[in-house]
Amino acid sequence: MFWICPTCGAHYPDTEQPPAECVLCEDERQWVPPTGQRWTTLAELAAAGHRADIREVEPGLLGIGVTPDLGVGQRGLLLRTDQGNLLWDPPAYLDEQAKQAVREAGGLAVVTSSHPHMYGALAEWSHEFGAEVVLPEADVHWLQRTDVRVRTWSGTEQVLPGVTLVQCGGHFPGSTALHWAHEGGVLLTGDTIMVTPGEDRLTFMWSAPNRLPLPEKQVRGIVAALRDYPFERVYGGWWTPALRSGGSRVLHNSAERYIQFLRGEVAIDGGVR
């Protein structure tokens, strides 16, 4: 029986007793509940009423979420191509409904993630479909499951034709965006880059739950990493919000505005000093 941290969604190895702590929640980018560390299992979650939430996001992208929310609340994305399917940022829970949806979509070749808070149930998906797990070398040590083989990479990695992983850094050293060269370009970001509620801007955080901003150097690094990958649409780690058009332009403009705030160059009335 493997263990699941319900606060961050991390999966831990099959042991008689749960770990003393969750190393991801103890990190400053995450948090431990005031009542202390908690643990659960897939069986307990199913008994409590958790179930898969399957929705089409756009043609070629199938969303796989969980209701009620679990961990950081992400919904995964199944990217479908003629050369195989890729699962991005899988949530911490999966059930037969989710597995069947993936079977009907053509199975699974690759499982990967934007960063450690969204590794979720990647080991279970890999076992179920014999899919390759692909993670950045810089962050693979955060993966707590030891029963899965991982192929590591750095910089950029084309995992399927037209599908490229880009190491942007920022939130974690290996924080990744996925670029899909499809109909103007699509960017999947987890929370490496965050879409704002108005769906017209992007922003950056070192820790979203703890309200810690990302420094200028890392923001510029994200923009530079994506310079050669044009895109229109941006899908973050949740069902909403999403950026529907002008993604590359919005990323550049949003980064410059964010840096103005970091430097104190913005007047209280919103103008530039």
Side-chain angles (χ1 to χ4, degrees), residues 211-229:
R211 309 298 191 265
L212 297 173
L214 196 64
E216 177 179 344
K217 180 180 179 181
Q218 281 67 39
V219 174
R220 294 201 181 279
I222 290 172
V223 175
L226 293 169
R227 183 171 293 127
D228 296 331
Y229 298 92

Side-chain angles (χ1 to χ4, degrees), residues 28-150:
E28 192 175 9
R29 287 161 286 201
Q30 189 46 27
W31 54 280
V32 177
T35 52
Q37 178 65 50
R38 298 180 293 123
W39 298 100
T40 189
T41 65
L42 281 180
E44 288 180 353
L45 291 168
H50 285 78
R51 58 182 175 81
D53 182 7
I54 312 296
R55 312 179 204 172
E56 185 176 69
V57 174
E58 68 167 68
L61 277 182
L62 184 69
I64 303 176
V66 178
T67 184
D69 281 349
L70 177 65
V72 298
Q74 85 266 26
R75 60 92 188 88
L77 289 168
L78 183 74
L79 191 158
R80 293 171 285 183
T81 80
D82 293 339
Q83 289 75 37
N85 296 341
L86 177 149
L87 181 59
W88 170 259
D89 280 348
Y93 178 82
L94 76 166
D95 58 13
E96 189 55 38
Q97 180 189 2
K99 295 174 188 176
Q100 185 59 32
V102 173
R103 291 188 196 106
E104 292 174 357
L108 188 59
V110 178
V111 188
T112 188
S113 182
S114 61
H115 71 291
H117 292 152
M118 295 186 180
Y119 286 175
L122 63 77
E124 294 308 300
W125 284 107
S126 175
H127 293 325
E128 180 70 23
F129 288 92
E132 182 179 38
V133 176
V134 181
L135 295 175
E137 176 66 32
D139 290 343
V140 71
H141 64 281
W142 288 102
L143 180 65
Q144 301 303 306
R145 292 287 294 271
T146 57
D147 57 334
V148 62
R149 293 179 59 185
V150 180

